[in-house]
Amino acid sequence: MLYSLLSPAETKEAGGNLPPVNPKSFIFPTLYEKRLELLNKFENYKKTLSEKELLEFFELKTLDERSEYRDNVFELATQKAILRYSGVAYKALDFYSLPQSAKQYIFENTVIFSNLFGPLLAKDEVPNYKLKQGAKIEGVDAAKHYKKEFSGALDEMFEGCEIVDLLAGYYEKFYTTKVRTLKPKFLKGGKVVSHNAKEHRGLFLREIALSGARSIDDVMNLQIKNLKLVEIIEKNNRIEPVFETDFF
């Protein structure tokens, strides 16, 4: 089996039509209490903030009285994680336009690392929230917390499988892969793509889902439009294919 790892997005869709957060909302229900540790700290901390401090915490200039960010995260309606996020990579993935088989593939085979909720399957259910990358909650570093508490469960889930790592650099702090892992790199004119890297990752995941790839070899055999393989760097169980792109 092949899993893909994906970063979350700062921009999110509001609302939702699924029940509020509960133990059935996420993978690893036996570790729900470990998620609650951070969620409770998040809510308790919000309550201590003045209006000005709340704006600073959320990095916003204004905050509507009706904003969901004001509400208790445990009381908000949820939505499947892959539909909650709406950043550049998710727009490139264009989930709604995928055939049902590819949607189901994404639901079951994509793990998203949330700053607040930790590792999520794409089908897990999360409310609308805002927590900037790297923010500490009452002194707790979310990346360190989730790496410590969830790495064992992730290791078990990934045992005997392979991984496509589409994480941005910061989110590699949440988990270190132990199995054979593909980490694609994209070049434009011989230089590493930075500004458009998120879009490339979303497009790459889309092609994987459309193909129903079951292994790294399946991914390497894909003929992806606008990508030309120029080099493969291998070290231990890590494979870094380097693609020259003529996107943009």
Side-chain angles (χ1 to χ4, degrees), residues 51-132:
E51 185 75 9
K52 181 181 178 182
E53 291 169 334
L54 199 62
L55 288 173
E56 291 174 352
F57 180 63
F58 287 136
E59 294 189 323
L60 296 172
K61 293 182 179 179
T62 60
L63 192 59
D64 191 284
E65 288 292 337
R66 296 165 296 173
S67 173
E68 291 176 304
Y69 298 150
R70 292 183 181 276
D71 298 331
N72 189 305
V73 73
F74 294 105
E75 298 174 359
L76 294 169
T78 62
Q79 180 60 285
K80 292 189 183 299
I82 198 70
L83 304 178
R84 174 64 68 196
Y85 299 106
S86 57
V88 174
Y90 293 84
K91 284 183 168 63
L93 173 62
D94 196 8
F95 181 87
Y96 285 106
S97 72
L98 291 169
Q100 188 56 42
S101 58
K103 289 178 180 177
Q104 194 60 37
Y105 181 96
I106 294 286
F107 281 148
E108 301 291 343
N109 297 64
T110 303
V111 178
I112 301 167
F113 287 88
S114 159
N115 290 306
L116 182 58
F117 293 94
L120 306 166
L121 267 183
K123 66 179 180 180
D124 285 357
E125 301 165 4
V126 292
N128 187 18
Y129 70 95
K130 188 172 179 65
L131 182 66
K132 65 182 179 181

Side-chain angles (χ1 to χ4, degrees), residues 3-180:
Y3 284 95
S4 294
L5 310 185
L6 192 62
S7 303
E10 183 176 348
T11 54
K12 303 172 186 69
E13 297 292 337
N17 56 7
L18 299 173
V21 166
N22 64 81
K24 296 181 180 179
S25 300
F26 313 108
I27 48 172
F28 312 133
T30 59
L31 293 175
Y32 181 64
E33 294 297 323
K34 297 301 180 182
R35 297 188 201 270
L36 285 185
E37 287 182 21
L38 220 59
L39 294 179
N40 285 324
K41 288 181 182 296
F42 178 72
E43 281 305 319
N44 291 335
Y45 182 63
K46 276 169 53 180
K47 292 174 184 176
T48 69
L49 302 179
S50 66
E51 185 75 9
K52 181 181 178 182
E53 291 169 334
L54 199 62
L55 288 173
E56 291 174 352
F57 180 63
F58 287 136
E59 294 189 323
L60 296 172
K61 293 182 179 179
T62 60
L63 192 59
D64 191 284
E65 288 292 337
R66 296 165 296 173
S67 173
E68 291 176 304
Y69 298 150
R70 292 183 181 276
D71 298 331
N72 189 305
V73 73
F74 294 105
E75 298 174 359
L76 294 169
T78 62
Q79 180 60 285
K80 292 189 183 299
I82 198 70
L83 304 178
R84 174 64 68 196
Y85 299 106
S86 57
V88 174
Y90 293 84
K91 284 183 168 63
L93 173 62
D94 196 8
F95 181 87
Y96 285 106
S97 72
L98 291 169
Q100 188 56 42
S101 58
K103 289 178 180 177
Q104 194 60 37
Y105 181 96
I106 294 286
F107 281 148
E108 301 291 343
N109 297 64
T110 303
V111 178
I112 301 167
F113 287 88
S114 159
N115 290 306
L116 182 58
F117 293 94
L120 306 166
L121 267 183
K123 66 179 180 180
D124 285 357
E125 301 165 4
V126 292
N128 187 18
Y129 70 95
K130 188 172 179 65
L131 182 66
K132 65 182 179 181
Q133 176 180 304
K136 291 185 178 181
I137 307 170
E138 292 189 348
V140 177
D141 184 309
K144 291 181 179 179
H145 172 78
Y146 283 117
K147 184 169 188 176
K148 175 186 175 184
E149 302 295 349
F150 283 75
S151 285
L154 287 166
D155 288 345
E156 286 185 25
M157 188 171 84
F158 295 145
E159 186 176 358
C161 301
E162 295 182 330
I163 290 173
V164 176
D165 181 354
L166 298 173
L167 296 172
Y170 172 79
Y171 291 95
E172 294 178 0
K173 297 179 180 181
F174 280 76
Y175 179 67
T176 300
T177 62
K178 314 296 193 307
V179 299
R180 190 169 182 241

